[in-house]
Amino acid sequence: MHKLLTPFAAGAALLLGACASTDTLQPVPADRTFVNFSGVCHGSVNSAPLWGTALGWDRFDFSWQSFQPQRGKWNNAYLEKYCQRILAAKAKGVKFLPILDYGNGWTADGIPEQEFELGGRVYTVNRRPDGDFDVAGYNKETVNGRPERILIEKRKVSARRMSQRFVPDDQIADWEQFVRKTVTALKAEPYGVEYFQVWNEAHPMSSFWYGDMDTYMKNVHLPAAKIIHELGGKVVYGGWICGESISEFVAYLDRHNAWDSIDVFDLHYFPLAGMEYLARALKERGYEDKGIWQTELGFTAGANFIGNLYPRVLHWALENGWDRGDKYKLFYFAYGTPNDPKAYGYRRGLLLGRELNYSGRSLETLAGVLGGAPLELYGPVRSVPALKPELDERLSSLENFRVGNRIVSAVHMLPNNNAKIFVDWNGDLDTIHIDYENPLLRLKYPELDPARVAKIERVSMYGTRIDLTDRLEKDGNGSAVNVPVREPDRKEFRYTDMPENFLPEVFYTVITLRGE
């Protein structure tokens, strides 16, 4: 069954499936490439897969406690080992993002008891008789007409752990010394580090910071940012956690007038809409030139994650002033996990043991179709059924790119129910069963002369290719092609360790142009 939609739906597609043409008058930044956009956390550059092609950045902790185990005593061997890691990355064309963290672990004597509010909740930090601490969070609610605190969570935190997750007033100068010494060393050649991330996921219940956020800003972020800027570096905020709203992040930065202290605003594990929210807040305050990264996201066994999200973010970035390579980035967490079902994060990394996991294979495929040249938008492209770019990862979508001599369309056709039925929401609401027989998607390129096309292929999420060149049609003054929606090699997605009803939610159409 070759399922195409009605003429009415085709007409709707002409209106709704289009993508604006690239503005050729704007210069294309040479470093606006897929590999410069794509990073990873805790990578191992001594491992072969993905480096320099699918991954251009590695994010790794630089520990204050390891570098300075005691006041006045510096572990230069630790610094040297870290520097060698940077050089190994540079040899593969990979840049490095150090995370300057955490507390020094020397003593908890100067850590005060605290009570404070954040996001409409109350948090307390109290010292126990045994010298350890209780950290608790409460919702503020009304019970029987009276205000009450309802306990959300309470943790016992050892004094040792507290000293690693807080910087008291009497250690600010020590923290500043650590930052200055580290940035001076890593920014110098041959290392040449440009960006420095200050801490990681500071929040009272993140387990990376136990205390109020105003103290974090005053004692940690602002002193570090000032020094990094003095030394000519750039500041990446330490990752706003997904457990707290972005509006709270914006209010926090407003309260401390901290926008100028940050070069890159960083979110962790947010959907694309979170980046859009932050971009609007930056624009409202006159900071639209600042960068927005997510230096942690993923950590999922979901095989569709990268293919479904990354092309949407790339398209959004190109529509939102991506005028230099470092303005927008994503870092997958994490590079790899042991091939052991009992291991933490099993199947959630790019590598499983020494082999590419599902996410790693998906990233490798995406880098293959979008790599090798600067990224641009391409259009118009129209589709039947009618697809258009969508911020919401739960919706079907279409993104179109120009990469060197290639035109690449990322097609997301997501089922609308358990029977795997796709609904043409942008057309006449007709339906396609996307996992039955051989449904087709028609792509139209109204400004592309068929004579310019050397080759056209369908590329699956994991790299299986079908040559569609002989199916290319002349369509008015342009071109059109019918592309199979269903995977050509169904065994490719019938792994014994995958859910029986797994359905790939993205594929790519790649057009190679003649003589370009």
Side-chain angles (χ1 to χ4, degrees):
M1 177 176 66
H2 293 261
K3 182 70 165 68
L4 288 175
L5 297 191
T6 63
F8 175 84
L14 296 181
L15 295 175
L16 293 167
C19 169
S21 297
T22 303
D23 184 355
T24 56
L25 298 178
Q26 295 295 323
V28 179
D31 60 350
R32 194 174 69 191
T33 59
F34 182 85
V35 69
N36 193 30
F37 163 85
S38 175
V40 73
C41 299
H42 301 159
S44 173
V45 292
N46 294 324
S47 180
L50 305 176
W51 296 111
T53 54
L55 293 173
W57 285 76
D58 190 10
R59 173 179 180 258
F60 215 90
D61 300 82
F62 189 86
S63 164
W64 182 10
Q65 181 180 357
S66 297
F67 189 29
Q68 191 183 19
Q70 300 175 23
R71 182 177 278 122
K73 182 178 180 180
W74 298 92
N75 182 356
N76 290 320
Y78 174 79
L79 173 63
E80 177 60 25
K81 184 177 180 180
Y82 197 93
C83 288
Q84 291 306 310
R85 178 184 287 272
I86 294 173
L87 292 180
K90 287 185 71 173
K92 293 189 175 183
V94 176
K95 296 181 181 179
F96 224 79
L97 177 63
I99 316 167
L100 308 184
D101 59 21
Y102 291 101
N104 53 43
W106 300 341
T107 177
D109 291 347
I111 297 177
E113 294 192 323
Q114 302 168 67
E115 180 173 317
F116 54 93
E117 292 191 19
L118 177 67
R121 296 176 294 276
V122 176
Y123 296 92
T124 59
V125 177
N126 294 312
R127 192 180 292 269
R128 296 163 53 93
D130 60 6
D132 292 336
F133 292 81
D134 285 326
V135 179
Y138 302 84
N139 274 340
K140 295 169 64 178
E141 299 183 24
T142 300
V143 179
N144 295 324
R146 296 182 302 179
E148 296 282 353
R149 293 181 178 181
I150 307 300
L151 181 66
I152 306 169
E153 183 179 0
K154 186 176 182 179
R155 303 176 186 174
K156 178 184 176 182
V157 181
S158 70
R160 171 74 169 169
R161 183 71 169 176
M162 279 296 295
S163 69
Q164 297 167 334
R165 295 296 186 264
F166 194 80
V167 177
D169 292 350
D170 62 2
Q171 291 183 8
I172 296 175
D174 297 300
W175 167 250
E176 291 174 333
Q177 185 184 29
F178 159 71
V179 172
R180 186 174 297 277
K181 193 173 183 70
T182 301
V183 174
T184 299
L186 301 187
K187 194 173 184 304
E189 294 299 335
Y191 316 112
V193 172
E194 182 178 8
Y195 291 89
F196 297 86
Q197 188 159 41
V198 180
W199 214 269
N200 174 65
E201 294 190 357
H203 186 273
M205 282 296 180
S206 69
S207 79
F208 298 111
W209 172 262
Y210 289 123
D212 72 284
M213 294 299 291
D214 293 333
T215 297
Y216 167 77
M217 181 63 73
K218 176 177 69 74
N219 290 13
V220 177
H221 173 80
L222 289 176
K226 181 180 179 182
I227 291 168
I228 292 168
H229 284 151
E230 284 178 0
L231 296 174
K234 294 179 180 176
V235 175
V236 180
Y237 184 81
W240 188 256
I241 68 166
C242 60
E244 196 67 66
S245 71
I246 306 177
S247 62
E248 189 66 37
F249 183 33
V250 170
Y252 177 56
L253 296 173
D254 281 341
R255 186 166 68 249
H256 288 278
N257 194 24
W259 299 89
D260 284 316
S261 71
I262 300 167
D263 299 290
V264 175
F265 294 81
D266 182 35
L267 306 173
H268 283 184
Y269 301 97
F270 278 87
L272 173 54
M275 299 177 76
E276 169 68 15
Y277 185 103
L278 187 53
R280 293 179 185 181
L282 286 165
K283 186 174 182 179
E284 288 171 2
R285 290 156 179 79
Y287 293 107
E288 59 265 36
D289 289 337
K290 300 273 190 177
I292 300 176
W293 298 359
Q294 292 210 53
T295 62
E296 282 190 31
L297 83 171
F299 199 53
T300 175
N304 279 308
F305 177 81
I306 285 177
N308 189 37
L309 177 65
Y310 277 47
R312 298 176 194 255
V313 176
L314 288 165
H315 188 276
W316 172 86
L318 288 165
E319 288 193 321
N320 282 271
W322 194 4
D323 55 2
R324 64 184 189 282
D326 289 342
K327 189 168 185 179
Y328 300 112
K329 298 188 191 300
L330 298 181
F331 289 67
Y332 191 89
F333 185 93
Y335 183 61
T337 62
N339 189 3
D340 178 356
K342 297 179 181 179
Y344 175 71
Y346 177 63
R347 290 200 178 283
R348 294 186 175 193
L350 298 177
L351 270 67
L352 182 63
R354 296 184 178 182
E355 303 296 327
L356 288 178
N357 194 17
Y358 306 121
S359 292
R361 292 176 61 193
S362 178
L363 184 67
E364 182 180 53
T365 299
L366 187 57
V369 300
L370 291 181
L375 291 160
E376 302 175 73
L377 292 174
Y378 178 82
V381 178
R382 296 157 184 164
S383 69
V384 183
L387 299 172
K388 59 186 178 67
E390 298 283 359
L391 285 177
D392 189 342
E393 296 99 296
R394 300 169 300 176
L395 301 179
S396 298
S397 183
L398 174 67
E399 302 90 36
N400 301 291
F401 306 93
R402 176 71 182 263
V403 192
N405 69 334
R406 280 166 283 137
I407 297 168
V408 180
S409 297
V411 179
H412 314 257
M413 295 188 69
L414 280 63
N416 287 106
N417 67 0
N418 291 337
K420 304 177 185 176
I421 303 300
F422 166 87
V423 178
D424 183 18
W425 294 106
N426 298 317
D428 64 353
L429 302 186
D430 200 359
T431 61
I432 294 177
H433 195 306
I434 54 179
D435 197 30
Y436 179 74
E437 293 191 345
N438 190 25
L440 299 173
L441 172 79
R442 186 169 180 82
L443 290 176
K444 296 169 172 277
Y445 303 86
E447 297 180 4
L448 179 62
D449 187 332
R452 294 181 61 204
V453 176
K455 191 173 187 178
I456 180 167
E457 297 174 285
R458 181 201 191 276
V459 182
S460 77
M461 188 169 69
Y462 288 163
T464 298
R465 291 176 178 257
I466 304 177
D467 192 332
L468 303 176
T469 310
D470 60 355
R471 305 186 197 183
L472 187 67
E473 307 170 24
K474 186 171 179 59
D475 187 73
N477 293 324
S479 305
V481 64
N482 291 335
V483 185
V485 171
R486 202 174 183 204
E487 293 302 322
D489 179 4
R490 294 165 194 167
K491 292 181 180 179
E492 180 182 0
F493 294 94
R494 293 293 184 266
Y495 300 107
T496 57
D497 50 0
M498 292 290 286
E500 184 178 349
N501 64 347
F502 172 72
L503 186 69
E505 295 176 350
V506 65
F507 62 87
Y508 311 101
T509 300
V510 181
I511 296 175
T512 304
L513 301 175
R514 297 183 186 277
E516 297 187 39

